[in-house]
Amino acid sequence: IIDWGANGFLDKEPLTLDFIGNIGLTEKLLPADSTSECRLIYRNNRLREISPNPLKFMIGNLLSLKGRLRVAGEYFVKARHDDSDETVFDFATRRIGREAAETLIDPMVSGIFGGDARKLSLGACFPVMEKMESEFGGLIRAMLAKKKASRRNKDKHTGGPAGPSGHLTSFDGGLYTLIEQLHSLLRDNIRLSCNIINIDRSPEGLYTIVTEENTEIFDRVILAVPAYTAASLMQSLDIKLAESLKAIPYAGLAVVCQGYSLNDVGRPPNGFGFLVPRSQGRRILGSIWTSTIFSSQAPEGVALFRTMLGAAGNKRIIDLDKKQLAEISNQELVDIIKISGRPVFEKVIKWPNAIPQYTIGHRQRLADIENRLRSLPHLYLAGNAYTGIALNDCIKRSHAIIRAMAGQDSAVE
């Protein structure tokens, strides 16, 4: 089973779980297997575990002794009181040191955003981290306070410095099951293969949507499309809004899904997968071990890997053809995991514009977009280009849009 986009979501968001229940999919939820909890980093020609246990981390060999001591010293680093935008990499370097920033944070950002930690905005990408410093004075101080509060409240979803918490979850049949269910429920109200050419607004405040087939009038419009598509549709409505939308960059990504006989895999794929810091000179960002995370998504005796290439730091790799991408992935897996045979299954998915990049200035761009939208009442922007890239973020934003349409809120934030 191959997911073309996201491979799951964290079960920490009540709105998402309520939504899934409302459309009748709760019984098909599929939590990740407990054997996939181990996370790995490839460094100095070896896969090394990222231990969440502070003691194991300190006695481990993921970082040098100096690097580990620098991470522990984060407790004593003074908080930054300047409210100007800061990159994720600069924040990490300042708080936990350059070695940890390059080894831990940089690949994490590539794995989540397909982006460059040196260009992405901390406040836009990881607002929880920014808040941890501003409220508690630092990450370790914040985690200690949160752990104390979680023991008091018996809360299992406390998260870490970057905010991830909850359990990775999909559906029987993969995440596309969600789309199939929505289509079955809404098929009478969905028009497929209907290219929208332009959107305009009448003096009465109604929206005219021009398609290749005809022209129709609507009182409310939700654009659930990438920012660059929304920009092209906004040309007749608001040029400045279109420019702000177009200014949101995207990173290209190639996903290579390959299945190998377990007998040919030298290192047992026990864990979630691994990430590769750019300093290691590899051509892949990392690989997710799908058959360990969701064992039902591959036949017994087959290891299914989902390897990522490209992203903001390597745009040219997307220009390679699928055969070349598959061979690069295979060569890297052969070298890193010691695979001796050829893939028994292979699927390559290319996304020239895969993930929106919340670069420095993103929050100001959002403010500009929201300001321009005030002159276009009943027009809303949904999707992951604005306030979060994950499925949970899209659900939360869509919920806010519906509240705004119902008059319960004045704006969508």
Side-chain angles (χ1 to χ4, degrees), residues 13 113 123-127 227 248 250 356-358 362-363 365-367 369-370 381-401 411-413:
E13 177 52 59
F113 281 86
C125 295
F126 302 108
I248 299 174
Y250 278 70
Q357 301 295 287
Y358 298 174
H362 182 77
R363 286 186 289 190
R365 283 191 289 275
L366 285 188
I369 289 169
E370 295 296 335
L381 298 172
N384 69 348
Y386 312 106
T387 51
I389 65 167
L391 187 144
N392 283 337
D393 299 313
C394 292
I395 296 287
K396 288 170 65 177
R397 185 171 181 85
S398 298
H399 187 78
I401 288 173
V412 178
E413 297 180 356

Side-chain angles (χ1 to χ4, degrees), residues 60-368:
N61 59 3
L62 179 56
L63 301 180
S64 67
L65 177 59
K66 181 180 178 181
R68 282 173 272 153
L69 292 174
R70 177 64 181 83
V71 172
E74 192 273 342
Y75 184 89
F76 303 100
V77 176
K78 292 183 179 180
R80 175 177 181 260
H81 298 293
D82 182 358
D83 61 357
S84 62
D85 218 349
E86 183 179 25
T87 69
V88 176
F89 189 82
D90 287 344
F91 172 85
T93 301
R94 180 169 57 80
R95 298 251 26 123
I96 60 176
R98 189 174 188 88
E99 183 183 351
E102 291 179 344
T103 305
L104 302 175
I105 304 303
D106 187 49
M108 178 194 73
V109 170
S110 294
I112 296 173
F113 281 86
D116 185 347
R118 294 165 177 77
K119 296 180 180 179
L120 297 183
S121 162
L122 175 78
C125 295
F126 302 108
V128 171
M129 292 179 78
E130 185 181 59
K131 190 175 181 181
M132 289 170 81
E133 181 179 35
S134 64
E135 288 191 3
F136 299 95
L139 303 180
I140 294 178
R141 292 174 185 272
M143 286 188 287
L144 291 174
K146 286 175 177 286
K147 184 172 287 188
K148 183 178 179 180
S150 69
R151 284 198 298 265
R152 185 170 60 248
N153 301 326
K154 297 181 179 179
D155 182 8
K156 65 179 181 178
H157 294 319
T158 56
S165 60
H167 200 75
L168 181 67
T169 304
S170 183
F171 299 95
D172 288 332
L175 205 62
Y176 191 67
T177 300
L178 176 64
I179 304 302
E180 292 175 319
Q181 180 73 354
L182 288 171
H183 182 255
S184 69
L185 294 172
L186 302 171
R187 65 171 69 243
D188 293 338
N189 298 301
I190 296 175
R191 194 182 311 168
L192 302 175
S193 302
C194 183
N195 189 39
I196 296 175
I197 299 172
N198 188 44
I199 300 177
D200 210 340
R201 187 166 180 259
S202 71
E204 295 78 25
L206 299 175
Y207 291 94
T208 302
I209 295 183
V210 181
T211 72
E212 291 179 336
E213 299 174 357
N214 54 22
T215 298
E216 298 184 56
I217 297 175
F218 299 88
D219 55 359
R220 290 176 173 82
V221 174
I222 301 173
L223 293 179
V225 296
Y228 53 86
T229 303
S232 67
L233 295 174
M234 290 291 100
Q235 293 294 326
S236 299
L237 287 171
D238 190 322
I239 291 294
K240 290 186 177 180
L241 175 58
E243 290 174 352
S244 293
L245 290 167
K246 193 175 181 180
I248 299 174
Y250 278 70
L253 200 65
V255 181
V256 181
C257 302
Q258 291 168 314
Y260 296 84
S261 170
L262 273 174
N263 295 328
D264 293 335
V265 181
R267 187 200 187 284
N270 299 325
F272 189 87
F274 66 91
L275 293 170
V276 181
R278 70 183 66 220
S279 61
Q280 300 304 296
R282 289 289 179 178
R283 292 173 292 175
I284 62 174
L285 301 175
S287 186
I288 295 172
W289 298 343
T290 303
S291 54
T292 304
I293 303 169
F294 302 114
S295 59
S296 62
Q297 294 191 8
E300 188 174 349
V302 174
L304 179 59
F305 302 104
R306 176 183 169 100
T307 305
M308 297 157 289
L309 305 90
N314 191 4
K315 296 179 181 179
R316 277 191 270 180
I317 203 166
I318 299 297
D319 296 330
L320 299 177
D321 62 40
K322 292 184 177 182
K323 185 176 181 180
Q324 290 173 304
L325 291 167
E327 188 54 36
I328 290 173
S329 173
N330 177 69
Q331 290 173 4
E332 296 282 79
L333 292 178
V334 164
D335 194 28
I336 295 172
I337 312 179
K338 311 307 177 188
I339 297 176
S340 58
R342 296 293 301 177
V344 297
F345 172 86
E346 198 165 79
K347 181 74 176 181
V348 180
I349 304 158
K350 293 176 66 172
W351 291 104
N353 296 294
I355 305 175
Q357 301 295 287
Y358 298 174
T359 54
I360 290 292
H362 182 77
R363 286 186 289 190
Q364 183 57 53
R365 283 191 289 275
L366 285 188
D368 294 341

